[in-house]
Amino acid sequence: MYKWPLNRRAVVKAMLLGSAAPWVVHSKAIASSCGDHIVRIAALFAPDSLNPFATWSSAWPTFFTYDTLVGVDAQRHSDRKGFAKQWSVADDKLTWTFKIWPNMKWSDGQPATARDAAFTYNYLRDSIGKPDELNTGQNSTDGLDNVSSITALDDETLQIVTKKPSRWPVDNWILIVPEHIWKDIGFADARSAFRNDPPLVGTGPMIVAEFQQGQFVRFTPNEYYRTGKPATEGMILNTFSTADPIAQGLKSGNLDYGLNLTVAQWGELSKDSNIVVGQQRIEQRNYLAFNTLATDGAGSTKALQDSAFRDAIGYAIDQKAIVDRAFRGHADPGVGLAMPAAADYYSELKDIRRNFDLAEAGRRLDAAGYRDTNGDGIREDKEGKSFQLELITGTLSGTLEMPIAAVQLIAAWLAQIGIPVSVTQLDAGALSARTKTPAQGGGAWDLLVAQGWDSPTPHAILSLGSSKNIGISNRSYWKNNKFDELLSEADGTVDLQRSKELVDQAVRLIYVEAPYIMLCYPLLLDAHRKDCFEGWGTEDAVSMWGYFPFDRLKSV
């Protein structure tokens, strides 16, 4: 779900449940019975810290303990509010007022008020421009440069005034933290060393009580939760790097819910009468990126910097075949930056959309000056060097797994147009490191097949092309002043129609420039058992943007 990135990062090598290390087989974290009323879930996550100011990789589990002020869920569902119960914007489109839940408490019994929300935001704002600016984690300064003031008018009223119109006050997903815990943590510690060890103190329904990195996170119910203590006795999130133990755990009854399932696993689980399978559109985008750097960290050929070369490659990618053959139909074909889950902004770009045509790809490469002059079947760049591109790939933490079949298809198509590719598979940590800025040790690759799971807001949709996000969500290192201007203007509008127009212009610009080729938008495949707990959702059994339904599950 994020810059997630998600960042929803170091990955532990999980094994199949049947041949796993003893702690997997015998751990109380995964051994289940309905009798203890503890919900056991599992996903492909690699949380490395519980500090939201220092990491993008821990949305799960921190989403269960902390609230966002408003966020995605509260705007989609009337029964899924965050830290704020109500909100409104004044006629000036600059002044936002948020009513905080009355008499709300932190999980340690201390009052949770508008002053905590003001503290969280101002803590970030106060770090702007300093050597230890808090810009490395989910709780980031991104967007706060457009804020004039954030004030707690009283315990139940928060006011945010922006410099220009923006939906950032309701769209941001900064987690609200308790002032009495964080006020003495310096910026340098907050962005790195401070791990925020459990037990955490939050306003969400499930409080992190134990964190075993690479294994599991254990939660206890928040007795001070604003709608009442959850009915279950707690929750355990098991973290894996492959989906095999998740599917096995669901079959055996050792897990109550699992996501990140493969198509084959999902199909097999659908045959079990005790299991309900589901699929939902999410905000993940799977893409092919080009390394557009021209100096430090550049790829092996200047062709990668040429939009005509990149555009031609786009004609050699068959998105429908990727969906049908690599995802077995459980994805939407890739088009532009806006994904179908962001329904207000999605467009099929029919008037400029490339169609798969290897012959057309070849003609465009010829026209752009990338020919096979010696007849060996391999094209040369404009410096006369034969192409041999390195493609790096992997699955970033907090995203759905990328089938290697998709990468194999891409490599085969490029070979057919005279551009051979060698594929390097990396784990999540190594892939993240290779795609950081050159100053951070990244770069020096040619092609990247990866993915990002962001929010459905205009800012997040366009983040792949933002110069401010180079080495974070913008993994192509692409820069374009006009694109940045459109993004800035989109950030500065509250009007939905104007926002749609600006996003569409930016999406079209980057589509033509082609630093990315969108491959597909995968569907989330998940499953839950129905023999221990009830209260799961229908369209989305489990929210990817909050803690629903773990605030309301009940034992059967």
Side-chain angles (χ1 to χ4, degrees), residues 87-415:
W87 57 91
S88 61
V89 62
D91 291 340
D92 64 5
K93 298 184 180 180
L94 302 173
T95 306
W96 292 78
T97 302
F98 300 86
K99 299 304 292 185
I100 308 305
W101 293 89
N103 303 313
M104 185 163 58
K105 292 183 179 182
W106 295 102
S107 55
D108 63 359
Q110 295 290 318
T113 72
R115 304 185 198 284
D116 293 289
F119 164 79
T120 301
Y121 289 120
N122 286 323
Y123 184 64
L124 288 162
R125 287 183 73 217
D126 290 346
S127 77
I128 293 176
K130 296 181 179 177
D132 296 312
E133 181 175 342
L134 298 173
N135 57 6
T136 61
Q138 178 173 333
N139 279 15
S140 169
T141 56
D142 189 27
L144 281 163
D145 52 350
N146 184 41
V147 173
S148 293
S149 64
I150 301 176
T151 310
L153 303 181
D154 56 46
D155 283 354
E156 297 178 11
T157 310
L158 179 74
Q159 182 187 81
I160 298 180
V161 181
T162 59
K163 297 174 183 177
K164 57 184 180 181
S166 171
R167 291 192 59 82
W168 179 89
V170 291
D171 284 343
N172 78 84
W173 15 293
I174 290 170
L175 300 174
I176 306 302
V177 300
E179 180 178 9
H180 65 280
I181 300 294
W182 286 85
K183 64 181 179 180
D184 295 324
I185 307 298
F187 297 144
D189 286 336
R191 65 174 276 136
S192 59
F194 181 65
R195 290 183 56 81
N196 196 27
D197 290 328
L200 302 192
V201 176
T203 50
M206 291 290 167
I207 304 301
V208 176
E210 182 182 1
F211 174 39
Q212 295 294 331
Q213 187 171 344
Q215 299 183 32
F216 66 90
V217 186
R218 182 174 61 85
F219 303 80
T220 56
N222 182 0
E223 62 179 302
Y224 297 106
Y225 184 58
R226 57 183 170 269
T227 60
K229 181 181 177 181
T232 63
E233 292 300 317
M235 182 170 78
I236 293 173
L237 166 63
N238 295 274
T239 60
F240 297 107
S241 62
T242 74
D244 299 287
I246 300 175
Q248 293 292 337
L250 285 164
K251 287 180 184 178
S252 66
N254 289 335
L255 290 173
D256 300 296
Y257 172 80
L259 69 159
N260 307 111
L261 297 168
T262 67
V263 173
Q265 292 164 347
W266 187 85
E268 184 65 26
L269 291 171
S270 68
K271 303 172 185 177
D272 191 319
S273 61
N274 287 314
I275 294 175
V276 177
V277 297
Q279 60 179 349
Q280 58 175 296
R281 279 179 168 158
I282 56 171
E283 293 79 9
Q284 180 167 318
R285 297 169 286 193
N286 291 5
Y287 54 77
L288 169 68
F290 299 83
N291 179 347
T292 64
L293 289 170
T295 54
D296 292 345
S300 65
T301 172
K302 292 181 180 179
L304 299 167
Q305 303 159 35
D306 184 355
S307 61
F309 174 80
R310 302 190 301 256
D311 175 66
I313 296 299
Y315 283 89
I317 306 300
D318 188 346
Q319 283 89 346
K320 186 177 185 303
I322 289 173
V323 168
D324 292 343
R325 295 165 64 181
F327 289 85
R328 302 190 195 179
H330 295 279
D332 293 307
V335 188
L337 289 189
M339 65 292 286
D344 287 333
Y345 301 100
Y346 175 70
S347 169
E348 294 190 352
L349 303 178
K350 290 182 178 180
D351 57 325
I352 61 171
R353 186 169 179 173
R354 305 178 191 92
N355 294 310
F356 176 64
D357 188 334
L358 291 176
E360 178 65 15
R363 285 191 290 269
R364 288 177 177 257
L365 286 170
D366 288 343
Y370 304 103
R371 299 173 175 270
D372 174 15
T373 59
N374 59 13
D376 66 353
I378 299 176
R379 295 176 182 270
E380 296 91 38
D381 63 16
K382 294 179 181 179
E383 285 69 44
K385 184 173 62 175
S386 295
F387 282 108
Q388 178 59 59
L389 302 185
E390 180 196 21
L391 186 156
I392 61 173
T393 189
T395 299
L396 293 165
S397 177
T399 61
L400 304 189
E401 188 170 1
M402 173 70 73
I404 193 60
V407 180
Q408 293 167 341
L409 288 169
I410 293 167
W413 290 322
L414 295 187

Side-chain angles (χ1 to χ4, degrees), residues 442-510:
W445 48 269
D446 297 320
L447 304 176
L448 164 71
V449 172
Q451 60 293 122
W453 189 343
D454 240 314
S455 79
T457 66
H459 184 88
I461 290 169
L462 301 181
S463 66
L464 259 67
S466 169
S467 63
K468 292 182 179 180
N469 286 332
I470 286 175
I472 306 174
S473 54
N474 181 354
R475 299 178 187 273
S476 73
Y477 312 115
W478 180 75
K479 291 183 181 180
N480 183 283
N481 291 336
K482 179 60 177 177
F483 185 93
D484 283 343
E485 290 171 6
L486 290 167
L487 171 56
S488 178
E489 191 173 350
D491 282 344
T493 183
V494 176
D495 180 72
L496 178 60
Q497 186 56 44
R498 180 56 180 158
S499 179
K500 289 180 179 180
E501 294 169 359
L502 292 166
V503 169
D504 186 65
Q505 291 178 47
V507 166
R508 288 171 175 273
L509 188 159
I510 198 171

